[in-house]
Amino acid sequence: MLETLHRIVQAVNAAADFDEALAIIVDQVADATAADVCSVYLLEEDTQHLRLMATHGLNPEAVGQVRLSVDEGLVGLVAQREESVNLENADRHPRFRYFPETGEERFHSFLGVPIIHYQARLGVLVVQRNTRARFNDGEVAFLVTMAAQLAGVMAHARVRGDLARSTMEASGRALAVTGIGGSSGVAVGEGFAASAGADLETVPDRPVRNATAELAAFQAAVEAVRNDVSELGERMRAQLPEGEQLLFDVYLQMLDGDSLTSRVYHQIEAGHWAPFALRLTIAEHVRRFEAMDDAYLRERASDVRDIGRRLLARLMAVEGDDRAPPEQVILVGEELSASQLAEIPPEQLAGVVSAGGSANSHIAILARALGVPAVMGVRDLPVHRLHGRALIVDGYRGRVEVDPAEALRAEYVGLQQEEAELTAELAALSGLPARTTDGAELNLYVNTGLAAEINRALEIGCAGVGLHRTEFPFMMRDRFPGEEEQASLYREVLSAFAPLPVTLRTLDVGGDKPLPYFPTHDENPFLGWRGLRMTLDHPEIFLTQLRAMLRASVGLDNLRLMFPMVTRVEEAEQAAALVARARAELAEEGVVTAPPQVGAMVEVPAAVYQAESLARRLDFLSVGSNDLAQYLLAVDRNNSRVASLYDELHPAVLRAVNEVAEAGRRVGRPVSVCGSMAGEPAVAPLLLAMGMEGLSMSSGRLLRVKWVIRTISAADARGMLTEALACETPQQVRQLVNSALDDHGLGGLIRAGRR
Ligand code: PEP
Ligand code: MG
């Protein structure tokens, strides 16, 4: 059965369009179940009617003609009850409805199963036979499994089909696809497919026009990578144990050796352009290494892949991406990365659409930081087909409209204007404190990570930086940045904000932030080797970063250091001891630094329950609500399949955050929040009432949060918190905060939606 299922799903996936996909389904399912008839009825979302869309066995003329409401007929019964209906004498059932155009009077037995995709009814799959015998258990099980498998494929194929039709017929009807709002705001622009980057798996083949030029380009790439690798080896020589240094020698041997380069030359001569020739060669080598008996040699496969990626990055830099982005870019991609986003000039980047990921993927966080609307997790949308299409991105509702009709476009352009007006109004709050009507104040910090964010934050005014994510420069390079390099990056942020405090977070890679040159191979990366766990295991990497941070602060003295993913008290102690060691080393070298404030992120549930112990040992705590919600709710923050379950307003999350605030208060240490919850204007009153010292958010959110704080009183906020902590569902909390905003005339564009 598995094999049959697999074969059918593969055939459907390969179909050219949706109609062909349906035709394949009905033919092959009829064949697999030895049924006389197999039909697919699809539910029209707007009218809740089922329409016969494909059939094997019924009169083909009936396709598209037969249409019935969900409370009519047996097919309607299946859709209505959302479970299968299995009958030996369909025509005797009270719900039987006869459509003469189908010619189905000959068929007596009926088995219908619903096609459901993420709780949404898509339609009904029916098989019929001309005998009077119920389908047996095995047949029912097969059809149910088939329908469940087909649901996803069909949802995808339907969107693909609609997408093709919406331009072909110029129907003027926009195709709307729902995902998850990743960054609020709306944008109108043109789809632009992200470049493939240095992804060896996806390099397309292209015929080679000038083999000599391709060979020269490849030679230049080899030379460049050879230089990179020797430089890296030199730099790491002092810090790495001898065994690890060998890695660089192995790389150099591979580059200098004959087998890799001569195979690439051979492939170029066979007619492929250099990047594809490289892809073929690397795949060949990886296969060979992976098949080896010796474990050490098997491991070399990952080195080959790494060399391949480095060569490809160099090659692509040489070959370049010669497509000029349109004026208003809506960047589209399967799983967008920070560097793909960085490739678009900021003034042209209007919106982001990512097939994968969710509101808490780094790409969404980046989009929020840049104030660019984003929709994530549009799983059913073949994003590569959006290149060059007119698009609307609605980050509030998590919707993408493809080829919108003029009226809709105009509506969104209007919305964009309203947004701009609100933003202009809020600009007046720039220099003012975040103080409630009854005089309570809290600090509003910004989250930074990219150079572009610094200027924006300075423009709007803030209390400093509550979270500077340091991993982006690590992610955008093809090697670890050195101490000098890092120090100058950190100096930039520290001096831009001095004398305001700047919280530099130590490296938080692993999880959803893998480094291409330092793969962790975790089966379950979010529960694996990430954040402080990794840096404590690699003191050479950690100390380099700490030294760079401390050196960058000389004379500015506004450095605060923060550790991610703290799970045990000993980790915080160990990390703090390494900070002391780095300071002592620098002092020995004549670089005298002021002792920085040192704090921990509370983002692992264990840390909530040890917040007091952690706070006692450190200077401050900061709640990382993105990860905290992920771990408390057991919802992968990047998995769009479960994204609807990810909710910062879940009562458990609110209570955990409140608990941390209380723990800090007990031992007299300040607690702040730096996850995206801190930038949610509707939640600000609750966090204020918890007694947070500060909220750190992307700069795009800061004035909205300030607006709310300045409009309410601390007394009202405390009342809201008491009620919120008594709520039992996220929906109750959402209603509570939204109606409080409405009461203060603050609704509209800042409501707490489902991001
Ligand atoms: C968090 O987890 O809330 C956080 C701020 O860190 P990051 O999003 O970088 O993991
Ligand atoms: Mg985190």
Side-chain angles (χ1 to χ4, degrees), residues 362 365 467 469 471 505 508 513 530 601 603 624-627 637 674-675:
H362 263 89
I365 291 172
L467 164 66
R469 293 185 167 96
E471 42 282 354
R505 178 177 71 183
D508 184 20
K513 298 160 242 177
R530 61 167 297 201
M601 290 188 74
E603 50 184 349
S625 55
N626 305 339
D627 275 313
R637 59 194 258 189
C674 65

Side-chain angles (χ1 to χ4, degrees), residues 229-230 233-234 237 242-256 307:
V229 171
S230 359
E234 271 314 305
R237 210 160 282 278
E242 217 161 287
E244 301 297 324
Q245 286 174 20
L246 282 178
L247 173 76
F248 299 100
D249 299 335
V250 172
Y251 276 29
L252 290 175
Q253 279 162 19
M254 280 193 218
L255 287 166
D256 291 335
I307 281 278

